[in-house]
Amino acid sequence: MSSISIIGLGNMAGALAKRALAGGNAVEIIGRDPARAKEFAAALGGATAGTPGAAPAGDIVILAVPYAGAAAVVSEYGDALDGKVIIDITNPVAPDFKSFVTPDGTSGAQEIAKAAPTGAHVVKAFNTLFSHVLAAGPAEGRQLDVFIAGDDAQAKAHVSAFIESLGLRPLDTGELPMARALENLALLQLGLVAHSVKHTDFYLRVSTVS
């Protein structure tokens, strides 16, 4: 099992923490408000609360914060993230929900990787799952898919093992530039919510034709 540090106190942080604990992983919760982080961790049962600014305890560090502040968080931790696997779950979607705030030809994950120390490895994952769908688990026995992208094979293997411990299926999409495609999938989901599906009680899945 893995040792996980989750930076953030939102819905995705809670959904990931609950599934991680259920999968036998050690979970540390980190938030800018230490008192709230302690309450958050205590409510989960089994998680610990980390200290903002101190080196995260986990081998895997999950950025469960809005994209607008993600790179800044990575920069603040600096060399404390050296040797860590950083999971980027963010979506750099513009306020119009039709475009991105990132420069053309790049992705949020790649921009975050620029802020990370050279010894850290950024892996894109979980950005196509709504928090309540992740918290609820598989629908009617169907396994949820988690698409991942990253440059380091060992880091992706580590993340894949963690995903499997959650009862989910990891699907490797390639190197980190593929994060742009994964972020476009999230934009596609928002388009479905706005124009056809009209709700967020769904997920994207790969089914093979035999």
Side-chain angles (χ1 to χ4, degrees):
M1 297 299 102
S2 299
S3 175
I4 310 297
S5 291
I6 301 175
I7 302 176
L9 303 175
N11 292 334
M12 277 298 287
L16 285 165
K18 288 176 183 177
R19 293 191 72 97
L21 288 167
N25 301 283
V27 175
E28 176 188 50
I29 301 295
I30 303 172
R32 290 192 181 278
D33 183 337
R36 189 176 166 218
K38 287 181 180 179
E39 292 176 1
F40 194 97
L44 290 166
T48 61
T51 302
D59 296 325
I60 293 177
V61 178
I62 301 177
L63 293 176
V65 297
Y67 173 73
V73 169
V74 171
S75 294
E76 287 173 13
Y77 278 95
D79 289 340
L81 296 177
D82 193 51
K84 307 283 188 182
V85 175
I86 302 170
I87 297 181
D88 166 35
I89 72 169
T90 70
N91 283 306
V93 178
D96 63 3
F97 295 140
K98 296 177 181 178
S99 58
F100 298 107
V101 297
T102 46
D104 290 340
T106 188
S107 66
Q110 289 169 285
E111 293 301 302
I112 289 169
K114 291 178 183 178
T118 56
H121 302 289
V122 174
V123 176
K124 190 78 177 184
F126 296 105
N127 73 299
T128 61
L129 288 171
F130 295 109
S131 61
H132 65 284
V133 173
L134 178 61
E140 298 178 3
R142 291 173 296 190
Q143 194 174 42
L144 299 178
D145 287 343
V146 180
F147 306 108
I148 69 173
D151 290 333
D152 187 83
Q154 188 172 355
K156 286 195 288 186
H158 195 175
V159 172
S160 293
F162 168 61
I163 291 169
E164 289 173 348
S165 80
L166 308 185
L168 312 177
R169 181 173 69 163
L171 291 176
D172 189 352
T173 66
E175 297 180 346
L176 197 60
M178 282 299 293
R180 183 67 169 181
L182 299 186
E183 291 164 5
N184 270 290
L185 282 181
L187 200 63
L188 169 67
Q189 289 177 293
L190 293 176
L192 291 171
V193 171
H195 300 288
S196 57
V197 180
K198 302 294 185 179
H199 59 74
T200 59
D201 296 327
F202 70 94
Y203 59 93
L204 302 181
R205 185 176 190 275
V206 173
S207 296
T208 56
V209 179
S210 59

